[in-house]
């Protein structure tokens, strides 16, 4: 900022003080004239007052000048913190700095969050691209055979579709638009549709499926709830070498129970964390540690709850709480 411009801005900001000293001098001379007091002593007093005011103004301008320079440097560094600046004296000025500091903290937090989400997304799609190649390569090899195994081919097609679906849902959950449509749906219809999507997995691994009482309605989004159930059923079959998977509802909760390898107690508190695979995930190269995280995010979006109980070697039970506060359905 140019010196003359800065001087003009300073004069504008201090014009009340200049008017005050001018008014005081005028009143001083006016009183002396009215009472016919000799002007000589008053002139000396006025000269002293003006001199002191000039020195004070000069010092104040010097402080103002350096403060503006520091603010310009801070602005160039895109930092709103008053670090390195002198202590502010006015309350409104102090509040102004505090507001700027809070704004900068918020911007930094949002930027940190954005950078973390960007890194997570890059990592997820890197893992996804490597894993999506596996079923595609298997399908390519199967199609080259004279009599390809139909059940194995369906399994690979299911896995390829699941990877694509997970990528689409991950993108939606990571964004601000989730096309959520709440309505009262039949739980049995949603579960049966989810079972149909993962039927190839059940058939190939010869896992017995048991569907018990599911006759209830739930206020939810059918697509997102089905997505979560598909992921949970896939996990149940994936970690069940032999045995069965049972799905039933009771007292407003949906239970998905398997007889698989179970989850270690030390892994249970972290299974919903993004990218956490645990001991079982390290045993299979196909685990990304994203499926359960997406399930929880989808169910949180719907207002549902999810919890997992497991005993290593005996199986796992997933409990989805379907109750939620009543909302108006459009």
């Amino acid at each position: 900022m140019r010196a003359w411009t800065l001087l003009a801005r300073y004069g504008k900001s201090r014009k009340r003080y200049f008017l005050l000293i001018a008014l005081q001098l005028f009143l001083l001379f006016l009183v002396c004239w009215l009472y016919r007091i000799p002007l000589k002593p008053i002139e000396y007093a006025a000269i002293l007052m003006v001199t002191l005011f000039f020195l004070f103004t000069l010092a104040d301008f010097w402080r103002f000048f350096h403060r503006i320079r520091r603010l310009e440097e801070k602005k160039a560094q895109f930092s709103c913190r008053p670090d390195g600046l002198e202590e502010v004296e006015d309350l409104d000025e102090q509040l102004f700095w505090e507001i700027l500091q809070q704004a900068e903290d918020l911007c930094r937090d949002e930027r940190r969050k954005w950078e973390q989400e960007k890194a997570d997304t890059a990592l997820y799609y890197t893992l996804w691209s490597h894993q999506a190649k596996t079923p595609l390569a298997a399908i390519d090899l199967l199609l080259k055979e004279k009599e390809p195994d139909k059940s194995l081919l369906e399994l690979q097609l299911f896995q390829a579709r699941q990877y694509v679906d997970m990528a689409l849902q991950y993108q939606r959950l990571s964004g601000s638009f989730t096309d959520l449509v709440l309505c009262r749906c039949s739980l049995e219809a949603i579960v049966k549709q989810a079972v149909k999507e993962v039927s190839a997995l059940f058939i190939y691994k010869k896992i017995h499926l048991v569907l018990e009482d599911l006759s209830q309605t739930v206020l939810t989004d059918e697509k997102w709830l089905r997505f979560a159930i598909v992921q949970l059923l896939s996990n149940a079959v994936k970690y069940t070498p032999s045995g069965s998977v049972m799905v039933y509802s009771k007292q407003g909760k949906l239970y998905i129970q398997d007889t698989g390898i179970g989850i270690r107690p030390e892994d249970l508190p972290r299974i919903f964390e993004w990218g956490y695979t645990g001991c079982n995930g390290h045993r299979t190269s196909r685990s990304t540690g994203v499926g359960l995280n997406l399930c929880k995010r989808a169910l949180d979006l719907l207002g549902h709850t999810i919890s997992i109980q497991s005993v290593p070697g005996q199986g796992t039970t997933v409990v989805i709480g379907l109750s939620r506060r009543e909302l108006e359905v459009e």
Side-chain angles (χ1 to χ4, degrees):
M1 188 178 295
R2 293 182 178 180
W4 286 109
T5 303
L6 188 61
L7 185 61
R9 293 292 296 273
Y10 173 78
K12 186 176 180 180
S13 65
R14 301 295 192 272
K15 61 182 180 182
R16 290 176 298 177
Y17 301 107
F18 297 151
L19 290 175
L20 179 62
I21 192 65
L23 181 61
Q24 289 176 342
L25 291 174
F26 172 76
L27 292 175
L28 181 63
F29 281 102
L30 179 62
V31 170
C32 291
W33 180 74
L34 291 175
Y35 286 92
R36 301 189 180 280
I37 299 175
L39 295 180
K40 204 65 176 179
I42 303 304
E43 290 177 357
Y44 287 127
I47 292 172
L48 290 175
M49 288 175 60
V50 171
T51 303
L52 289 175
F53 181 75
F54 175 76
L55 294 175
F56 171 81
T57 302
L58 188 62
D60 186 56
F61 175 75
W62 185 255
R63 179 175 175 271
F64 175 82
F65 174 78
H66 281 280
R67 186 167 172 220
I68 293 299
R69 290 289 298 273
R70 292 191 184 97
L71 287 173
E72 288 178 342
E73 291 175 0
K74 287 289 181 180
K75 181 180 177 181
Q77 297 171 4
F78 194 67
S79 175
C80 296
R81 294 184 179 277
D83 301 334
L85 297 177
E86 65 274 9
E87 292 292 330
V88 293
E89 299 175 356
D90 298 334
L91 178 59
D92 57 346
E93 196 172 355
Q94 178 64 40
L95 292 173
F96 171 73
W97 280 119
E98 290 176 359
I99 292 171
L100 288 181
Q101 183 173 339
Q102 292 175 0
E104 185 183 28
D105 289 339
L106 180 61
C107 289
R108 288 184 176 179
D109 291 341
E110 290 296 324
R111 182 175 180 83
R112 192 180 300 113
K113 180 181 177 182
W114 175 79
E115 289 176 348
Q116 183 61 47
E117 290 178 351
K118 183 179 178 182
D120 291 344
T121 300
L123 178 59
Y124 170 70
Y125 282 113
T126 299
L127 295 172
W128 181 89
S129 62
H130 286 290
Q131 291 184 328
K133 291 178 182 178
T134 303
L136 295 177
I139 291 172
D140 184 60
L141 291 174
L142 287 170
L143 291 176
K144 290 180 180 179
E145 296 180 358
K146 292 182 179 180
E147 296 182 0
D149 187 337
K150 185 178 179 180
S151 62
L152 185 57
L153 187 60
E154 289 179 348
L155 174 64
Q156 299 303 325
L157 284 172
F158 162 75
Q159 290 180 345
R161 285 196 300 268
Q162 189 180 34
Y163 283 134
V164 173
D165 189 48
M166 283 185 65
L168 291 174
Q169 304 306 339
Y170 174 80
Q171 195 69 19
R172 288 173 178 170
L173 286 171
S174 300
S176 58
F177 178 70
T178 52
D179 61 351
L180 190 66
V181 179
L182 294 176
C183 61
R184 295 199 174 278
C185 308
S186 167
L187 179 62
E188 184 176 7
I190 295 175
V191 171
K192 286 184 176 180
Q193 183 62 35
V195 169
K196 183 179 179 181
E197 292 185 27
V198 299
S199 58
L201 199 56
F202 277 92
I203 293 172
Y204 179 77
K205 295 195 68 175
K206 298 179 181 179
I207 302 297
H208 183 56
L209 175 65
V210 180
L211 297 179
E212 294 193 351
D213 183 26
L214 296 167
S215 57
Q216 72 174 84
T217 59
V218 57
L219 179 60
T220 189
D221 182 284
E222 181 179 355
K223 180 183 64 176
W224 284 105
L225 181 58
R226 185 176 71 248
F227 164 76
I229 294 174
V230 167
Q231 297 302 317
L232 295 171
L233 287 174
S234 300
N235 277 4
V237 177
K238 183 189 299 183
Y239 296 110
T240 303
S242 61
S244 63
V245 175
M246 180 182 296
V247 183
Y248 60 96
S249 65
K250 183 171 63 175
Q251 297 178 347
K253 296 180 180 180
L254 178 66
Y255 295 81
I256 301 176
Q257 184 175 351
D258 65 60
T259 57
I261 60 177
I263 304 172
R264 298 190 309 176
E266 55 267 34
D267 289 334
L268 279 174
R270 300 187 59 190
I271 54 178
F272 293 116
E273 291 182 11
W274 194 97
Y276 186 76
T277 57
C279 180
N280 294 337
H282 289 299
R283 294 177 182 177
T284 171
S285 59
R286 294 184 178 180
S287 178
T288 60
V290 176
L292 285 177
N293 178 267
L294 292 181
C295 283
K296 187 166 190 321
R297 289 166 64 180
L299 293 173
D300 287 345
L301 182 69
L302 296 172
H304 303 324
T305 60
I306 181 172
S307 61
I308 294 181
Q309 305 164 1
S310 183
V311 178
Q314 297 183 24
T316 301
T317 301
V318 180
V319 183
I320 300 177
L322 300 174
S323 300
R324 55 168 297 148
R325 62 181 183 274
E326 293 295 325
L327 298 176
E328 292 185 2
V329 184
E330 296 183 357

